[in-house]
Amino acid sequence: MGDEYPTLFRSEQMSLVQLIVPTEVAHDTIAELGELGNVQFKDLNPDVNPFQRSFVGEIRRIDEMARRVRFFASQVEKEKEPIPIRPLYDSAPLLTVGPRGAQTIDELDVKLAEHEARLTQMNESYQLLSERLRELVEARHVLRETAVFFEQAAVRETEARTSLDDSSAPLLQHDDREQQFSSGELQFDLEFVAGTIDRARLSTFERVLWRVLRGNLYMNYIDIQEPFVDPATGAETRKNVFIIFAHGDILLSKIRKIAESMGATIYPIDVNADKRADSMREVTGRLEDLQIVLYNTGANRRAELMTIGENLASWQDVVAKEKLIYETLNLLNYDVRRKTLIAEGWCPTRDIPQIQLALRHATEESGTNVPPILHELRTNRTPPTFHRTNKFTEGFQTIMDAYGVATYQEVNPGLFAVITFPFLFAVMFGDIGHGFIITIAAALMILFERNLGKADLGEIIGTFFFGRYIILLMGFFSIYTGFLYNDIFSKSLHLFHSGWDFREDYFNGTVGASNGHTYPFGIDPAWHGAENGLLFTNSYKMKMSIVLGVIHMTFAVCLQVPNHIRFKRFSDIYTNFIPQMIFLQSIFGYLVICIIYKWTVDWEKATTQPPSLLNMLISMVLSPGSVDPESQLYPGQSTVQVILLLLAGICVPWLLVTKPYLQWQEMKKIQGQGYIGLGADDAPRHTDDTTLEGEEEGNGRAIVEANDEEHEQHDFSEVVVHQVIHTIEFCLGCVSHTASYLRLWALSLAHAQLSEVLWDMTIAKVLGMSGLIGIIALILVGAMWLVLTIAILCVMEGLSAFLHALRLHWVEANSKHYEAGGYQFVPLSFARLNEKQ
Amino acid sequence: MEALLFNVSGGFLEGIVRGYKAGLLTQNQYNNLTQCETIEDFRTQLSATDYGNFLANEPLPISTSTISDKATQVLVDQFNYLRSNAVEPLSKFLEYMTYAYMIDNVILIITGTLHGRNTNELLQRCHPLGIFDTMPALCVATNVEELYHTVLVETPLAPYFRDSVTAADLDDLNIEIIRNTLYKAYLEDFDAFCQSLGGPTAEIMHRILAFEADRRAINITINSFGTQLSKEQRAKLFPTIGRLFPEGNNALARADDIEQVRQACEPVAEYRAFFDSGSGAGRPNGQGGSESTANLLGDLGVSDELGAAADLEDRFFVHEVHLNKLAFLQQFQYAVFYSYVKLKEQEIRSLTWIAECIAQNARDRIHDFIPTF
């Protein structure tokens, strides 16, 4: 198999290989294999704690570097004006392999630490400065707002005076004290506290104050219009200026205490207008100075971030790769005495030469002359499933992998889905026009795939882009079935000479009459608009979907055979495949033959009425042996039907019994040969196996095991139960699955009707109009029609048809042959790393 | 009936909380954690659990308080998620759970202010689940009445507080009395609320709250030995929903030493084990066994008594964990929410303990934590 061309028919043949890598080249070897992306490493120390593994120190160091890089990335992201990050393909690669690799990493570590220290310091000073700035801005606001308040108060001052004349002693004392440092102009007797507070807390603040001071306060507050932005987090806070008047030192100190604990900032404000003006000037002056300093600091910081942005992408890449390398190295078995690492892993057999080459390359790069040794191990463990796909087949294979990953070397339905999937889709989506639209869409995506592949398209568009080749084929097939149905945007094409003539009949209006022609391809356009047109297409499409369904299922059943041969289960061919085939063909195969036969008969010239095939099938099962001569399809029908029914009837016990019986016989044969007491013998052997396995995993020694059949514990009752379920599922499944294929008819009918309705409701209404109004209406309605065609008929209907095609493959076809018991091959690959990011 | 209608409003959140519970650390993970050599190992080990990368962005070296804070933050986020998705009566139930933290925070701030601590520092040490708007204003209060009228009157704690408002000044003893009065009122109220919910919630929550009440009663008794607290005052602080109520409570009110406490607890089989020496449902290892023996001999030296109290506290925790684990055995009830939070708290305590032991290189005591699952 190894030298054959890679195929999708079966999964790639895999080998378990063992690598013996000298410690010096271990890092470079893994790096090389990661670039190659062909080896899936096994964990050789599953019992060892993650932090007790050999390379945990290195991982920790890389983690620390990764944290720094993340810190840079978040800083760069937070910067308001975007900082250019040089893309990876544009930056010089950092060589982490080869003799200087370790040194590069060391240097990078130091460099990152330096950058971090610098950036943190800058952030700190920036934050400190902006904090001071914020305080000054707040102070300015407080000054400004209180000034407004005082001015207002000054106007009303005289009135206030009279009311305060008979105030008590403390007030007067206080007045005196105030007088000492005020110039004795306009005076306020009340003391006050002014400051700023977070707007969200204002109401709580007010409430608490009110309660604490028992209402003995006068509070005024004004919103500050612009928000304050925290430089570190970028969060906005809105604040208010407040000024509170109250009596007495105790109360004031209480207010101050509460204000501070509520997160308010208090600013000393003087009652004197001149002093206020002074401090206002001072604050403004300091504000200007500070702004200059802040601007410089910000510019420095930005410059630093720019230098970081230059290299950020390559750092991220290196750190991610290094982490992956060391994590992989941790999976390996480390032999301290021999200074070697032992790796085990799966790789495709045909890629072993390539891997050998990579290993040699790694040795050369690292400058040592001890090459890593690779040799194949023989094993009885099931290898992972690996389908080699390209960008065309990838989408189709993903559809099948979503159902289940194929068992190793099983026939892969993904290969056939390349054709069957778009075809079944197109049966439901048959319209030349709509098919053309989606073909164009897919072709555009394929044309620009280089550019689109790099861009981040988002989840929805990304999914469509991923399936671009599926969509392309779906488009082609839709055009094809569109020709078959003779449908283009619900109209028909008149390519050839029609087989029908329409005459004005005196009694019946317009009637069609055959003119002897046969329309060479697809449905005759004459049916379009005929009164019984729907009746005809309905019957035609229904029968066609049954025919297609039975063919599809028969094909799926046939796919069992290569599996049985490959896995040497020859008995399964006649215990499973043959009875299943007979059962399916004797009932539904017969139905298909009847459908085709009925099409070939000219019922106008026949002696009997055309029979209903549905009733025929029902009466074939319910009342075998009796066929109404009025609706007989062909002579001798009842005998044929009884024989077929008997055949199908025989198949059920055949399916049910033969496989368990063979199994039982084999068991008896083994017992008859004197291997009695298998169970007792089996137990110690089994433990031997596990210890052997353990030894293999633990020490990684090459154990050449006999390539015997997998040691399966066949429990007889399990086989019986499995077979019973399988039989019931298959027999009932045949009926329901055949019926399920009628969705082909239903969806294609719905699609055709929907597009016809859309045409009739929009364009057909304005087509007859003439003059300027007619043209304008046609343009408007035409645009609407186009939008609705794309949105509803192409996208929505397309998704629905896609879904049903998916179901027909997963349920109706896959259940006939697909075991899907494998596990995916996940190689160590740097390419995947980038995908994840 | 619960089975019929519970899932209409509570099913989603019960599922969530059971999922959270499945993320609690297992014995195996604890074993791995105790083997760590450094805090970095500890972080690596934790990153393999449900905590994930919660410490990944912390610069080295990591302090144990960071671990504890971050872990608490995880719990708080989970709790807030539950709370914001809950509808009545679950939302009320969850709200009740926060009252306990509020009481702790109130007491913390009053005590801190009394001892002249910085308010901001105190605010940072408050449990995030028990924070309320007007909390910072607590620091201006100088006596109990002021406390009530300025701040607590608009919090949910107000009804609990109403009974204990006396003009007394705030000092350490009074604060302790306030705390216990509040707690008593809170437990009784919470229990009444759970009873009003009925069904398995009432049953299980009563079991848990009754134990909580008894634990408080016993603790109050032991802590009041040798203080000015009179026996009548002490009796007033005992919650009345515990299993010891009423005879046990009366006996506790009269108790003068540990031995009498032990006798008071005798009627309840589960509690008897708390006072047994060393073995039984005690701590995971035999540490502290000697002190207990000393107690039985009647030697009630102060240090021994403290040791016994600490030992007893651990056993209480073990029993609490046990009760909370039992809560998960029944479906269609709210006790799982309570139990999950308590178990997670215990887990955070255990994590902090292990981290602390690693940091201080006290490896011989590293196993003295209380595992949850």
Side-chain angles (χ1 to χ4, degrees), chain A residues 697-743:
Chain A
E697 296 210 344
N699 302 332
R701 274 188 284 121
I703 293 174
V704 183
E705 286 163 289
N707 197 11
D708 53 1
E709 287 270 284
E710 254 182 43
H711 183 74
E712 280 175 16
Q713 284 288 81
H714 274 309
D715 197 355
F716 184 64
S717 62
E718 215 170 90
V719 175
V720 173
V721 170
H722 180 261
Q723 194 63 24
V724 168
I725 293 173
H726 191 69
T727 309
I728 295 173
E729 198 194 325
F730 179 80
C731 296
L732 294 183
C734 273
V735 182
S736 65
H737 290 173
T738 310
S740 186
Y741 276 95
L742 288 174
R743 72 186 67 232

Side-chain angles (χ1 to χ4, degrees), chain A residues 412-430:
Chain A
N412 172 24
L415 172 66
F416 309 104
V418 173
I419 295 303
T420 53
F421 189 84
F423 178 68
L424 286 187
F425 170 85
V427 170
M428 293 179 267
F429 198 74

Side-chain angles (χ1 to χ4, degrees), chain A residues 782-793:
Chain A
M784 192 172 93
W785 172 81
L786 189 67
V787 169
L788 288 179
T789 298
I790 290 174
I792 296 180
L793 292 175

Side-chain angles (χ1 to χ4, degrees), chain A residues 202-320:
Chain A
L202 188 71
S203 61
T204 327
F205 181 53
E206 197 177 1
R207 213 159 58 232
V208 169
L209 279 179
W210 193 81
R211 271 204 304 270
V212 170
L213 308 176
R214 291 156 204 270
N216 291 322
L217 80 161
Y218 175 72
M219 182 169 176
N220 197 11
Y221 50 85
I222 298 150
D223 295 354
I224 298 176
Q225 292 302 325
E226 64 264 35
F228 293 92
V229 182
D230 189 332
T233 57
E236 283 190 359
T237 42
R238 292 183 175 271
K239 294 199 165 188
N240 274 25
V241 172
F242 65 86
I243 178 163
I244 302 162
F245 295 88
H247 271 301
D249 283 343
I250 298 173
L251 288 191
L252 283 174
S253 77
K254 261 191 187 170
I255 294 173
R256 286 207 181 91
K257 208 165 171 190
I258 292 175
E260 269 162 21
S261 62
M262 298 287 283
T265 335
I266 292 171
Y267 295 95
I269 302 290
D270 207 288
V271 234
N272 189 310
D274 288 345
K275 285 196 179 175
R276 275 207 309 275
D278 276 351
S279 48
M280 185 74 180
R281 259 196 300 284
E282 196 194 324
V283 164
T284 320
R286 275 171 61 197
L287 205 57
E288 273 165 15
D289 292 350
L290 202 58
Q291 260 159 351
I292 292 167
V293 179
L294 196 66
Y295 175 77
N296 286 337
T297 322
N300 276 345
R301 185 166 167 272
R302 201 177 151 78
E304 175 76 17
L305 283 179
M306 292 283 245
T307 32
I308 289 174
E310 287 275 287
N311 294 316
L312 193 60
S314 67
W315 290 344
Q316 274 169 339
D317 182 54
V318 164
V319 167

Side-chain angles (χ1 to χ4, degrees), chain B residues 65-214:
Chain B
S65 62
T66 320
I67 295 177
S68 162
D69 286 350
K70 287 277 169 186
T72 310
Q73 195 51 46
V74 172
L75 170 64
V76 170
D77 289 345
Q78 289 177 345
F79 185 82
N80 285 338
Y81 179 77
L82 292 175
R83 200 170 162 182
S84 48
N85 280 294
V87 290
E88 286 289 339
L90 178 59
S91 53
K92 185 79 183 159
F93 182 88
L94 293 176
E95 206 172 291
Y96 261 107
M97 284 170 59
T98 62
Y99 295 170
Y101 300 101
M102 281 192 195
I103 296 175
D104 285 345
N105 284 351
V106 167
I107 302 297
L108 177 77
I109 290 184
I110 303 173
T111 324
T113 319
L114 194 67
H115 291 282
R117 295 280 178 78
N118 182 357
T119 316
N120 279 329
E121 191 188 314
L122 287 173
L123 286 176
Q124 267 164 19
R125 284 179 50 200
C126 283
H127 197 287
L129 283 183
I131 283 178
F132 51 96
D133 271 355
T134 50
M135 205 169 71
L138 282 171
C139 57
V140 289
T142 47
N143 62 40
V144 180
E145 201 178 339
E146 208 178 7
L147 195 67
Y148 176 71
H149 282 298
T150 56
V151 183
L152 292 179
V153 70
E154 66 168 16
T155 66
L157 299 182
Y160 309 150
F161 214 82
R162 210 177 291 138
D163 308 330
S164 57
V165 177
T166 48
D169 279 345
L170 289 169
D171 57 39
D172 278 339
L173 183 67
N174 272 334
I175 290 174
E176 209 49 43
I177 291 174
I178 291 172
R179 181 212 293 272
N180 285 309
T181 326
L182 281 179
Y183 239 103
K184 167 186 152 78
Y186 161 66
L187 283 177
E188 285 166 7
D189 189 30
F190 194 10
D191 190 53
F193 171 71
C194 291
Q195 296 310 314
S196 75
L197 292 177
T201 307
E203 187 188 318
I204 298 168
M205 281 311 291
H206 183 70
R207 200 163 62 205
I208 296 173
L209 292 175
F211 170 71
E212 182 72 25
D214 288 338

